[in-house]
Amino acid sequence: MPDIIFENEIVRAENLKKTFTLSRKQQKIDRTSLKRKVAVDGLSFSAYRGEIYGLLGPNGAGKTTTLRMLSTLISPDEGDAFVLGHSIRHEAAKVRDCIGFMTGELKLEGFFTPDYLFDFFGAMHGVAKEALAKRKRELFAKFGIDRFSGVRVADLSTGMAQKTSLVISIVHDPDVLILDEPTNGLDVLTAKVVTDFLSDLKGMGKSILLSTHIFSLVEKLCDRVGIIIDGKMAAEGDLSSLCAGSSLEEKFFEIYRGIKGEAL
């Protein structure tokens, strides 16, 4: 399939849909008798070059499933998406070459060290040894990983393991970063290091798509936001036009109540 180029669009999602079969255990957790769950339901949006785009929604809204589809880890049941013009359905390898992806659901192997993992993934992406060594020195120093480079991941703190995951996801200096809850579970100091770094990457011309349920993170980092509820796009836009004088939190719950009809 030939590349499809959309001017200034880094990501274009078109009617993405994904359904999962629920186990009996999951049915009990969700308090449902339904055997299948629609996680993402006809989702469409665009993210543009040089911006940070946030997908905001509660747990179970479909954010992680959406990012896993965009990163080619799972395939959509319906629809398609394009990352820098490459189809996630037909050009998965090209998509993976141009993105960095991080999610808390993908755990680093605890037996290995940050030093080993960085070299392993760098070689897998075809980064030259000299360039890889230089990039490792810079990133490990920036995130304070250098002091722990020889420690097994299983023995690292949650924050250090998260920072290790982040630097490994960008070992090949990708143009597009797709980050699932990048500050989830981090203490305030580590979270600031990560958010400051994302701002720096944007300043370097990188394009970032992230998911979160944290209002302050969106307000601090994102140029535009898409609010996802029950796998659908409930609202989208830049913060000033979307909120129109309200806080993002107030706007979110206004939209949520309008869709769900629930008092909070």
Side-chain angles (χ1 to χ4, degrees):
M1 180 177 178
D3 296 347
I4 299 176
I5 304 301
F6 304 101
E7 185 176 1
N8 293 323
E9 286 181 321
I10 57 159
V11 173
R12 180 170 182 173
E14 298 180 341
N15 298 310
L16 290 176
K17 185 172 183 177
K18 187 65 179 181
T19 303
F20 295 106
T21 300
L22 297 178
S23 65
R24 289 185 179 180
K25 179 179 179 180
Q26 192 61 53
Q27 285 177 301
K28 289 182 179 180
I29 293 173
D30 292 351
R31 296 180 180 179
T32 180
S33 60
L34 298 176
K35 295 183 178 180
R36 295 184 66 79
K37 177 180 179 179
V38 179
V40 177
D41 191 4
L43 189 67
S44 299
F45 67 93
S46 294
Y48 296 97
R49 190 178 303 277
E51 75 171 1
I52 300 180
Y53 183 97
L55 288 175
L56 175 68
N59 292 337
K63 304 185 303 297
T64 293
T65 300
T66 298
L67 296 192
R68 286 168 67 87
M69 285 190 286
L70 294 177
S71 303
T72 74
L73 293 179
I74 58 176
S75 298
D77 298 331
E78 298 177 16
D80 200 354
F82 302 87
V83 180
L84 293 180
H86 305 304
S87 164
I88 63 171
R89 296 181 72 105
H90 305 287
E91 302 170 289
K94 289 185 177 181
V95 172
R96 290 192 289 269
D97 283 342
C98 64
I99 67 169
F101 177 59
M102 185 186 77
T103 175
E105 291 192 350
L106 297 180
K107 305 297 183 183
L108 297 176
E109 174 55 57
F111 178 80
F112 297 113
T113 65
D115 188 66
Y116 173 85
L117 289 168
F118 194 90
D119 289 348
F120 175 83
F121 283 99
M124 188 174 70
H125 283 289
V127 182
K129 287 186 177 180
E130 186 174 323
L132 184 64
K134 180 175 183 292
R135 187 156 176 79
K136 183 199 293 184
R137 288 194 301 270
E138 293 173 349
L139 290 174
F140 277 28
K142 185 175 187 65
F143 285 96
I145 301 173
D146 45 1
R147 294 173 293 160
F148 303 91
S149 62
V151 177
R152 294 190 314 165
V153 168
D155 297 323
L156 295 176
S157 67
T158 299
M160 190 58 63
Q162 182 86 327
K163 290 190 288 186
T164 299
S165 294
L166 177 58
V167 300
I168 288 173
S169 72
I170 59 173
V171 62
H172 53 311
D173 196 21
D175 291 326
V176 181
L177 276 74
I178 299 177
L179 309 175
D180 185 23
E181 302 280 3
T183 62
N184 195 32
L186 300 182
D187 64 77
V188 292
L189 297 178
T190 305
K192 179 171 173 50
V193 172
V194 171
T195 55
D196 287 350
F197 183 62
L198 296 182
S199 293
D200 291 344
L201 288 174
K202 177 189 171 183
M204 295 164 56
K206 304 296 183 181
S207 305
I208 301 170
L209 175 63
L210 62 85
S211 73
T212 186
H213 61 275
I214 302 173
F215 300 112
S216 60
L217 182 65
V218 174
E219 291 173 326
K220 179 178 180 179
L221 286 179
C222 296
D223 300 287
R224 292 190 305 122
V225 61
I227 295 176
I228 299 182
I229 298 174
D230 293 338
K232 298 180 180 180
M233 186 66 73
E236 184 184 28
D238 64 87
L239 293 178
S240 59
S241 61
L242 182 64
C243 297
S246 301
S247 70
L248 179 59
E249 181 176 3
E250 291 171 334
K251 186 63 178 179
F252 173 84
F253 286 117
E254 175 189 324
I255 294 169
Y256 186 88
R257 285 191 296 266
I259 293 174
K260 305 288 284 187
E262 298 176 3
L264 295 172

Coordinates of all heavy atoms in Angstrom, one line a residue, residues 153-188:
V153 N 16.8 -4.1 36.7 CA 15.5 -3.4 36.7 C 14.6 -3.8 37.9 O 13.9 -2.9 38.5 CB 14.7 -3.6 35.4 CG1 13.3 -3.1 35.5 CG2 15.5 -2.9 34.2
A154 N 14.6 -5.1 38.3 CA 13.8 -5.5 39.4 C 14.2 -4.8 40.7 O 13.4 -4.8 41.6 CB 14.0 -7.0 39.5
D155 N 15.4 -4.3 40.8 CA 15.9 -3.7 42.0 C 15.8 -2.2 42.0 O 16.2 -1.5 42.9 CB 17.3 -4.1 42.3 CG 17.4 -5.6 42.6 OD1 16.5 -6.2 43.2 OD2 18.4 -6.2 42.1
L156 N 15.3 -1.6 40.9 CA 15.2 -0.2 40.7 C 13.9 0.3 41.4 O 12.9 -0.4 41.5 CB 15.1 0.2 39.3 CG 16.4 0.0 38.4 CD1 16.1 0.3 37.0 CD2 17.6 0.8 39.0
S157 N 13.9 1.6 41.8 CA 12.6 2.2 42.3 C 11.7 2.3 41.1 O 12.0 2.3 40.0 CB 12.9 3.6 42.9 OG 13.3 4.5 41.9
T158 N 10.4 2.6 41.5 CA 9.4 2.7 40.4 C 9.7 3.9 39.5 O 9.6 3.8 38.3 CB 8.0 3.0 41.1 OG1 7.6 1.9 41.9 CG2 6.9 3.2 40.0
G159 N 10.2 5.0 40.1 CA 10.5 6.2 39.3 C 11.7 5.9 38.4 O 11.7 6.3 37.2
M160 N 12.7 5.2 38.9 CA 13.9 5.0 38.1 C 13.6 4.0 37.0 O 14.1 4.1 35.8 CB 15.0 4.4 39.0 CG 16.4 4.3 38.3 SD 17.0 5.9 37.6 CE 17.1 6.9 39.2
A161 N 12.7 3.0 37.3 CA 12.3 2.1 36.2 C 11.5 2.8 35.1 O 11.6 2.5 33.9 CB 11.5 0.9 36.8
Q162 N 10.7 3.8 35.5 CA 9.9 4.5 34.6 C 10.8 5.4 33.7 O 10.6 5.5 32.5 CB 8.9 5.4 35.3 CG 8.0 6.3 34.5 CD 6.7 5.5 34.0 OE1 6.8 4.3 33.8 NE2 5.6 6.2 33.9
K163 N 11.8 6.0 34.3 CA 12.7 6.8 33.5 C 13.5 5.9 32.6 O 13.8 6.4 31.5 CB 13.6 7.6 34.5 CG 12.9 8.7 35.2 CD 13.8 9.7 35.9 CE 14.4 9.0 37.2 NZ 15.3 10.0 37.9
T164 N 13.9 4.8 33.0 CA 14.6 3.8 32.2 C 13.7 3.4 31.0 O 14.2 3.4 29.8 CB 15.0 2.6 32.9 OG1 15.8 2.9 34.0 CG2 15.7 1.6 32.0
S165 N 12.4 3.2 31.2 CA 11.5 2.9 30.1 C 11.4 4.0 29.1 O 11.4 3.8 27.9 CB 10.1 2.6 30.7 OG 10.1 1.4 31.5
L166 N 11.4 5.2 29.6 CA 11.3 6.4 28.7 C 12.6 6.5 27.8 O 12.4 6.7 26.6 CB 11.1 7.7 29.6 CG 11.1 9.0 28.8 CD1 9.9 8.9 27.7 CD2 10.9 10.2 29.7
V167 N 13.7 6.4 28.4 CA 14.9 6.6 27.6 C 15.1 5.5 26.6 O 15.6 5.7 25.5 CB 16.2 6.8 28.5 CG1 16.1 8.0 29.4 CG2 16.5 5.5 29.3
I168 N 14.7 4.3 27.0 CA 14.8 3.2 26.0 C 13.8 3.4 24.9 O 14.1 3.1 23.7 CB 14.5 1.8 26.7 CG1 15.7 1.5 27.6 CG2 14.2 0.7 25.7 CD1 15.4 0.3 28.5
S169 N 12.6 4.0 25.2 CA 11.7 4.2 24.1 C 12.1 5.2 23.1 O 11.6 5.3 22.0 CB 10.3 4.6 24.7 OG 10.4 6.0 25.2
I170 N 13.1 6.1 23.5 CA 13.6 7.1 22.5 C 15.0 6.9 22.2 O 15.7 7.8 21.7 CB 13.4 8.5 23.1 CG1 14.2 8.7 24.5 CG2 11.9 8.8 23.3 CD1 14.2 10.1 25.0
V171 N 15.5 5.6 22.3 CA 16.9 5.3 22.1 C 17.3 5.6 20.6 O 18.4 6.1 20.3 CB 17.2 3.8 22.4 CG1 16.3 2.9 21.5 CG2 18.7 3.5 22.2
H172 N 16.3 5.5 19.7 CA 16.6 5.7 18.3 C 16.2 7.1 17.8 O 16.2 7.4 16.6 CB 15.9 4.7 17.4 CG 14.4 4.6 17.7 ND1 13.9 4.5 19.0 CD2 13.3 4.7 16.9 CE1 12.6 4.5 18.9 NE2 12.2 4.6 17.7
D173 N 16.0 8.1 18.8 CA 15.7 9.5 18.5 C 14.5 9.6 17.5 O 14.6 10.2 16.4 CB 16.9 10.2 17.9 CG 16.8 11.7 17.9 OD1 16.0 12.2 18.7 OD2 17.5 12.4 17.2
P174 N 13.4 9.0 17.8 CA 12.2 9.0 16.9 C 11.6 10.4 16.8 O 11.7 11.3 17.7 CB 11.2 8.1 17.6 CG 11.5 8.2 19.0 CD 13.0 8.4 19.1
D175 N 10.9 10.6 15.7 CA 10.2 11.9 15.4 C 8.9 12.0 16.2 O 8.4 13.1 16.5 CB 9.9 12.1 13.9 CG 11.2 12.3 13.1 OD1 12.1 12.9 13.6 OD2 11.3 11.8 12.0
V176 N 8.3 10.8 16.5 CA 7.0 10.8 17.2 C 7.1 10.0 18.4 O 7.6 8.8 18.4 CB 5.9 10.2 16.2 CG1 4.6 10.2 16.9 CG2 5.9 10.9 14.9
L177 N 6.6 10.5 19.5 CA 6.5 9.8 20.8 C 5.1 9.5 21.1 O 4.2 10.4 21.1 CB 7.2 10.6 21.9 CG 8.7 10.5 22.1 CD1 9.4 11.3 21.0 CD2 9.1 11.0 23.4
I178 N 4.8 8.3 21.5 CA 3.4 7.9 21.9 C 3.6 7.3 23.3 O 4.2 6.3 23.5 CB 2.8 6.8 20.9 CG1 2.7 7.4 19.5 CG2 1.5 6.3 21.4 CD1 2.2 6.4 18.5
L179 N 3.0 8.1 24.3 CA 3.3 7.8 25.7 C 1.9 7.5 26.4 O 1.1 8.4 26.4 CB 4.0 8.9 26.3 CG 5.3 9.4 25.6 CD1 5.8 10.7 26.3 CD2 6.3 8.3 25.6
D180 N 1.8 6.4 27.0 CA 0.6 6.0 27.8 C 0.9 6.3 29.3 O 1.7 5.6 29.9 CB 0.3 4.5 27.5 CG -1.0 4.1 28.2 OD1 -1.8 5.0 28.4 OD2 -1.1 2.9 28.5
E181 N 0.1 7.3 29.8 CA 0.2 7.7 31.2 C 1.7 7.8 31.6 O 2.2 7.1 32.5 CB -0.4 6.6 32.1 CG -1.9 6.4 31.8 CD -2.8 7.4 32.4 OE1 -2.3 8.4 33.0 OE2 -4.0 7.3 32.2
P182 N 2.5 8.8 31.0 CA 3.9 8.8 31.3 C 4.3 9.2 32.7 O 5.4 9.0 33.1 CB 4.4 9.9 30.3 CG 3.1 10.7 30.0 CD 2.0 9.8 30.1
T183 N 3.4 9.8 33.5 CA 3.8 10.2 34.9 C 3.0 9.3 35.9 O 3.1 9.6 37.1 CB 3.5 11.7 35.1 OG1 2.0 11.9 35.0 CG2 4.2 12.6 34.2
N184 N 2.3 8.3 35.4 CA 1.5 7.5 36.4 C 2.4 6.8 37.4 O 3.4 6.1 37.1 CB 0.8 6.4 35.6 CG -0.3 5.8 36.4 OD1 -0.9 6.4 37.3 ND2 -0.6 4.5 36.2
G185 N 2.1 7.0 38.7 CA 2.8 6.3 39.8 C 4.1 7.0 40.1 O 4.9 6.5 41.0
L186 N 4.5 8.1 39.5 CA 5.7 8.8 39.8 C 5.6 9.8 41.0 O 4.5 10.4 41.2 CB 6.3 9.5 38.6 CG 6.5 8.7 37.4 CD1 7.1 9.6 36.3 CD2 7.5 7.5 37.7
D187 N 6.6 10.0 41.8 CA 6.6 11.0 42.8 C 6.7 12.4 42.1 O 7.1 12.4 40.9 CB 7.7 10.8 43.8 CG 9.1 10.9 43.2 OD1 9.6 12.0 42.9 OD2 9.7 9.9 42.9
V188 N 6.5 13.4 42.8 CA 6.4 14.8 42.2 C 7.7 15.2 41.6 O 7.7 15.9 40.5 CB 5.9 15.8 43.2 CG1 4.5 15.6 43.6 CG2 6.8 15.8 44.4

